[in-house]
Structures are given as structure tokens and as C-alpha cells.
């Protein structure tokens, strides 16, 4: 099935192989940058290519427009795979230094801080739930007074509508808080995985599994310039930096 999907993908992209030189070809070897490496000029996904040079096979990534449109309209975006590996490795190591510094027990410190933020949302959920219960009780009390005749019809309807509207607002607020709580749980798990993956990149270039944990997108520009979008939010990276600087 995997081979079939790769073949279908090549046909879907409608690549004209007649434009390649006799030593060029699209390769089917495992591509660890698949779906995260893009041309910084046009936004196209870069293709993994191979070429025989001096009896050695060399792999490189190239913007499809480089061979579809010709030199004049080309984005001129390409890079050897081993050069990209080195650049990404350098950027990850640099990010580790900037984010973690010499801090020990990063995971423990970050987990404590993010759980504090989770607890704050949980408290808001609890308060909002209590407010809803309180307003429901008020509605029941108001109805009982109306039945007793202590409250006239016009006043009852006015207060009932106001109470029901407020309860609806509280329920909408509760829904958003609960959504935020669930997102925060996922965020914490993802952040801890990100930190673990960062630490695994110590002396070797990351494999695809770690790349996907660390990076969501790589934009490649001419002259081997890259812009990396990390897989966790900037806000969380700042939290990590703050925890490590204390």
C-alpha cells in the first residue's frame, strides 16, 4: 500500500521526467523531510531528487518550479540533503542552547509551570459551574414566588428571561473554558515531547520521528537560507525559557 501511495503521489504531481538529465531521477528512498520542507519563494513542497556525480549518487531537495519553468522563472531553491541535515542540526542545537541554557530538570520545571496554568483554568471552570447552579436555584426560587403570588406576572417574566440569558452566557463561557482545558492538556503533552525530542538531538542528526516532534515546517530560500517553524507555540517556548532562567 505504501509503494502504491508513493507512485500515485508522483502521478498526481504530474512531473514531466523528460525534463531531467540522464543522471537525474526522483527517488523513492525514505524521505524524512516529507511534508515539512517547502520552497520559501512559491510555497511548493520540495522534491527529493538524486543525481550521479563522479560515480557517486547524490541526493538533493529541489523546488519543482526549478525544472518545470526553466531558469528565468525558477525559484532557484535547492539544497543537497547532507547540507540540509547539517543546517537543521545546527539550528536545533542552537535552539537548545537558547531555550534550555545550562538548566537541569527542564521537563520537571516546565511541567510544574504548565500544570499551574491548567489549574487556573480548572478553577475558572469550577467557579463558572457554581455560578450556573446558583442561577438555576435562583430561577427555581423565582418560580416558587410566582406560584405563591409574591411576584406579579410581568416582574416574573422579566426576571426569568434575565436569569435564563445569564445562564446561557455562563454555559457558553463554561464550554470555552472546557475546550481551553482540553487544548492545554494536549499542549502540555506536546511540549514535554518536544523537550524530550530536543534532548535526543545531542550528537546526531534527528530522524524523521524526532523531526516531526520538533518542527512543523521548514521554508527553504535561495543560498541555503532556512526559516524553521517549531511544532510548539512561541508562548510555550517563552515559558520554557523563563523556567530555565529562574
Amino acid at each position: 500500500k505504501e509503494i502504491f501511495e508513493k507512485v500515485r503521489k508522483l502521478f498526481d504531481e504530474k512531473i514531466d521526467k523528460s525534463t531531467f538529465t540522464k543522471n537525474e531521477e526522483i527517488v523513492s528512498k525514505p524521505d524524512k523531510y516529507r511534508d515539512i520542507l517547502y520552497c520559501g519563494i512559491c510555497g511548493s513542497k520540495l522534491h527529493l531528487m538524486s543525481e550521479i556525480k563522479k560515480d557517486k549518487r547524490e541526493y538533493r531537495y529541489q523546488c519543482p518550479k526549478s525544472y518545470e519553468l526553466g531558469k528565468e522563472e525558477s525559484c532557484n531553491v535547492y539544497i543537497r540533503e547532507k547540507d540540509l541535515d547539517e543546517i537543521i542540526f545546527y539550528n536545533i542545537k542552537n535552539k537548545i542552547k537558547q531555550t534550555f541554557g545550562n538548566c537541569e530538570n527542564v521537563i520537571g520545571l516546565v511541567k510544574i509551570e504548565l500544570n499551574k496554568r491548567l489549574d487556573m483554568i480548572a478553577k475558572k471552570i469550577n467557579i463558572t459551574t457554581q455560578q450556573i447552579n446558583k442561577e438555576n436555584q435562583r430561577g427555581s426560587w423565582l418560580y416558587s414566588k410566582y406560584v405563591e403570588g409574591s411576584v406579579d406576572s410581568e416582574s416574573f417574566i422579566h426576571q426569568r428571561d434575565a436569569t435564563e440569558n445569564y445562564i446561557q452566557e455562563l454555559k457558553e463561557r463554561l464550554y470555552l473554558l472546557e475546550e481551553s482545558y482540553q487544548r492545554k492538556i494536549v499542549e502540555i503533552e506536546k511540549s514535554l515531547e518536544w523537550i524530550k525530542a530536543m534532548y535526543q538531538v545531542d550528537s546526531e542528526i534527528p530522524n524523521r520521528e524526532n523531526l516531526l516532534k520538533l518542527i512543523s515546517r521548514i521554508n527553504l530560500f535561495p543560498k541555503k537560507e532556512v526559516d524553521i517553524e517549531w511544532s510548539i507555540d512561541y508562548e510555550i517556548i517563552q515559558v520554557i525559557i523563563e523556567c530555565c532562567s529562574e
Side-chain angles (χ1 to χ4, degrees), residues 104-117:
E104 297 179 0
N105 191 29
V106 176
I107 291 178
L109 292 171
V110 172
K111 195 171 183 179
I112 290 171
E113 179 59 32
L114 293 180
N115 278 326
K116 284 181 183 178
R117 299 183 178 212

Side-chain angles (χ1 to χ4, degrees), residues 14-232:
K14 297 180 181 178
I15 297 172
D16 183 7
K17 293 185 69 173
S18 64
T19 60
F20 302 163
T21 68
K22 64 180 181 179
N23 291 331
E24 269 186 334
E25 61 179 19
I26 296 175
V27 296
S28 58
K29 87 179 189 79
D31 178 6
K32 64 183 172 183
Y33 294 103
R34 176 169 48 86
D35 296 330
I36 60 171
L37 182 60
Y38 293 82
C39 174
I41 304 299
C42 71
S44 300
K45 289 182 182 179
L46 298 195
H47 294 158
L48 178 59
M49 315 287 292
S50 75
E51 185 175 1
I52 304 296
K53 285 188 175 182
K54 297 180 180 178
D55 297 326
K56 290 183 179 180
R57 185 170 293 280
E58 182 179 278
Y59 296 98
R60 73 176 185 280
Y61 287 93
Q62 187 169 338
C63 174
K65 287 190 176 180
S66 296
Y67 51 78
E68 287 176 354
L69 301 179
K71 290 184 178 180
E72 292 184 1
E73 298 181 71
S74 169
C75 296
N76 197 31
V77 171
Y78 59 89
I79 190 169
R80 292 189 302 175
E81 184 183 38
K82 62 181 182 180
D83 290 341
L84 179 62
D85 283 340
E86 291 175 2
I87 291 171
I88 297 304
F89 184 55
Y90 169 79
N91 275 271
I92 291 175
K93 294 286 284 185
N94 193 43
K95 194 68 176 179
I96 291 173
K97 184 177 180 181
Q98 291 176 347
T99 308
F100 302 153
N102 298 319
C103 180
E104 297 179 0
N105 191 29
V106 176
I107 291 178
L109 292 171
V110 172
K111 195 171 183 179
I112 290 171
E113 179 59 32
L114 293 180
N115 278 326
K116 284 181 183 178
R117 299 183 178 212
L118 192 65
D119 288 342
M120 288 176 63
I121 299 175
K123 287 177 181 178
K124 290 179 180 179
I125 289 174
N126 186 45
I127 290 170
T128 305
T129 302
Q130 290 177 358
Q131 287 177 313
I132 291 172
N133 292 335
K134 183 178 179 180
E135 290 302 315
N136 279 326
Q137 290 172 359
R138 184 176 183 279
S140 298
W141 173 84
L142 183 63
Y143 179 73
S144 67
K145 291 298 180 182
Y146 170 69
V147 172
E148 291 174 3
S150 303
V151 179
D152 61 70
S153 177
E154 184 178 347
S155 178
F156 166 71
I157 293 173
H158 175 73
Q159 293 185 60
R160 181 200 63 189
D161 290 347
T163 300
E164 288 179 350
N165 288 337
Y166 184 47
I167 289 174
Q168 184 60 36
E169 289 179 13
L170 289 171
K171 286 182 177 179
E172 290 174 1
R173 186 188 307 171
L174 180 62
Y175 175 78
L176 293 175
L177 285 169
E178 288 173 340
E179 269 200 336
S180 177
Y181 187 84
Q182 293 302 320
R183 283 198 306 270
K184 189 65 69 176
I185 290 175
V186 173
E187 189 178 81
I188 290 173
E189 292 175 351
K190 194 173 182 180
S191 301
L192 297 180
E193 284 295 316
W194 189 81
I195 295 171
K196 290 176 185 177
M198 275 291 195
Y199 272 119
Q200 289 174 5
V201 184
D202 183 21
S203 58
E204 60 182 18
I205 294 166
N207 56 29
R208 178 166 173 79
E209 182 182 358
N210 279 339
L211 272 175
L212 294 178
K213 290 178 181 177
L214 295 172
I215 297 170
S216 61
R217 183 180 177 114
I218 302 168
N219 295 307
L220 180 68
F221 296 88
K223 299 181 180 179
K224 302 179 183 179
E225 292 185 11
V226 299
D227 175 57
I228 296 176
E229 297 178 14
W230 303 99
S231 61
I232 60 173

